[in-house]
Amino acid sequence: MVAKDTFFQKKVTLNAGGKLIDLSSPKVMGIINITPDSFYAGSRKTDTASVIQQAEKMLTDGATFLDLGAYSSRPGALDISVDEETGRLLPAVEAIVKNVPEAIISIDTFRASVAEAAIKAGAHIINDISGGSLDAEMFATVARLQVPYILMHMKGTPQNMVQQAQYEDIFAEVFDYFVRRIYQLKKLGVHDIIIDPGFGFAKTAEQGYALMSRMQEFNLLQLPVLAGVSRKRMIYGLLGHTAEEALNGTTVLNTIALTKGAGILRVHDVREAVEAVKIWEACENAV
């Protein structure tokens, strides 16, 4: 019961665009991919109308955050230019800000210039799969903008990360990675940091389950933890089917993540994740 014992030591609030988010009750982040090649076809929204429609649906279903990405980070994805990423992303951000102003928008990018342009367009959070390792300007940019930062663990790049999945002790290496980067961020004055173990990024399925089995120990860092396992290969590969068939497995693994202290679930299917949170909380709060 490490998660429960350390709960009140953790930072459980997040300031996103002047809105104070209470993460003592787990929240759900809906994924909107403005890409033609993300691994799960159901998440791809390549025109403004479908982006707005998906944003509205996710908020109605109970999402607290919307995570917009215009650079596919699936294993082996094609590298695209800054201009192409920005050209895909900014119209979507601007459309949501205009049509769904209550939305709290997270930007999934490892490029500081793209992140800054999106924040200036009205987004609120930077979600960096590289933890600052692919752009030396990212940490300073986050500090200057004073926005929440999702610090994910990954080795290599989306193009070569599959070959980087080598560890002597995966939990110890990921934990040490977070300790060092959190220190750098705090030294720069970044106040709102969320950590993401990076399931599926430079990790085999077995390594992902090893991390999940010890995820409650990340609470020692006293920061909110995001779990992003939705429809990933670690689920559908184990069960012998496809990403399209992985919703039930995703719900199971999201529920396990909640028992281990996850404060945010990043998902393709918002309603099902919100239901998992409600049922988990009913069990936790039962007399």
Side-chain angles (χ1 to χ4, degrees), residues 8-113:
F8 291 106
Q9 299 174 29
K10 287 175 66 176
K11 180 176 172 59
V12 293
T13 58
L14 198 66
N15 186 336
K19 299 175 183 177
L20 199 63
I21 311 299
D22 179 8
L23 296 178
S24 61
S25 174
K27 301 296 188 285
V28 173
M29 173 179 283
I31 301 166
I32 302 178
N33 288 317
I34 311 144
T35 61
D37 58 342
S38 295
F39 80 91
Y40 174 51
S43 70
R44 303 172 194 162
K45 306 296 173 185
T46 54
D47 64 88
T48 301
S50 62
V51 167
I52 294 170
Q53 183 180 28
Q54 183 74 335
E56 290 174 339
K57 181 182 187 303
M58 285 181 161
L59 292 180
T60 299
D61 285 346
T64 298
F65 310 100
L66 302 177
D67 192 48
L68 274 62
Y71 183 111
S72 177
S73 56
R74 64 176 175 78
L78 292 175
D79 187 29
I80 63 171
S81 68
V82 171
D83 287 345
E84 185 171 356
E85 184 181 2
T86 305
R88 291 177 181 176
L89 184 63
L90 292 190
V93 174
E94 291 164 356
I96 292 175
V97 169
K98 179 180 179 181
N99 294 279
V100 199
E102 68 273 25
I104 299 172
I105 303 171
S106 164
I107 298 300
D108 181 357
T109 185
F110 57 82
R111 291 164 165 163
S113 63

Side-chain angles (χ1 to χ4, degrees), residues 32-242:
I32 302 178
N33 288 317
I34 311 144
T35 61
D37 58 342
S38 295
F39 80 91
Y40 174 51
S43 70
R44 303 172 194 162
K45 306 296 173 185
T46 54
D47 64 88
T48 301
S50 62
V51 167
I52 294 170
Q53 183 180 28
Q54 183 74 335
E56 290 174 339
K57 181 182 187 303
M58 285 181 161
L59 292 180
T60 299
D61 285 346
T64 298
F65 310 100
L66 302 177
D67 192 48
L68 274 62
Y71 183 111
S72 177
S73 56
R74 64 176 175 78
L78 292 175
D79 187 29
I80 63 171
S81 68
V82 171
D83 287 345
E84 185 171 356
E85 184 181 2
T86 305
R88 291 177 181 176
L89 184 63
L90 292 190
V93 174
E94 291 164 356
I96 292 175
V97 169
K98 179 180 179 181
N99 294 279
V100 199
E102 68 273 25
I104 299 172
I105 303 171
S106 164
I107 298 300
D108 181 357
T109 185
F110 57 82
R111 291 164 165 163
S113 63
V114 175
E116 181 161 8
I119 296 296
K120 289 181 176 177
H124 309 93
I125 299 168
I126 297 170
N127 179 12
D128 178 8
I129 61 167
S130 80
S133 65
L134 295 181
D135 190 333
E137 298 300 316
M138 181 61 89
F139 282 9
T141 299
V142 174
R144 177 164 43 80
L145 294 172
Q146 281 298 299
V147 293
Y149 180 66
I150 300 172
L151 170 69
M152 198 189 85
H153 174 272
M154 179 178 75
K155 294 200 297 185
T157 70
Q159 290 72 40
N160 65 21
M161 64 183 175
V162 171
Q163 290 75 45
Q164 308 290 322
Q166 299 172 13
Y167 306 86
E168 289 187 15
D169 181 333
I170 187 167
F171 181 84
E173 290 184 40
V174 174
F175 193 92
D176 181 63
Y177 168 100
F178 283 139
V179 169
R180 289 183 283 109
R181 282 165 171 75
I182 290 165
Y183 174 78
Q184 293 171 350
L185 287 162
K186 289 189 172 180
K187 197 173 177 182
L188 289 168
V190 178
H191 302 295
D192 286 321
I193 305 167
I194 302 107
I195 60 173
D196 176 356
F199 295 102
F201 288 82
K203 298 169 188 73
T204 65
E206 292 78 8
Q207 290 163 346
Y209 284 111
L211 268 185
M212 180 64 76
S213 73
R214 297 183 64 182
M215 200 174 79
Q216 71 275 13
E217 295 177 53
F218 288 121
N219 286 311
L220 295 169
L221 297 171
Q222 300 180 6
L223 294 173
V225 179
L226 180 151
V229 298
S230 183
R231 295 182 179 267
K232 288 189 174 178
R233 185 181 295 273
M234 67 184 290
I235 297 169
Y236 70 78
L238 179 69
L239 300 178
H241 47 55
T242 66

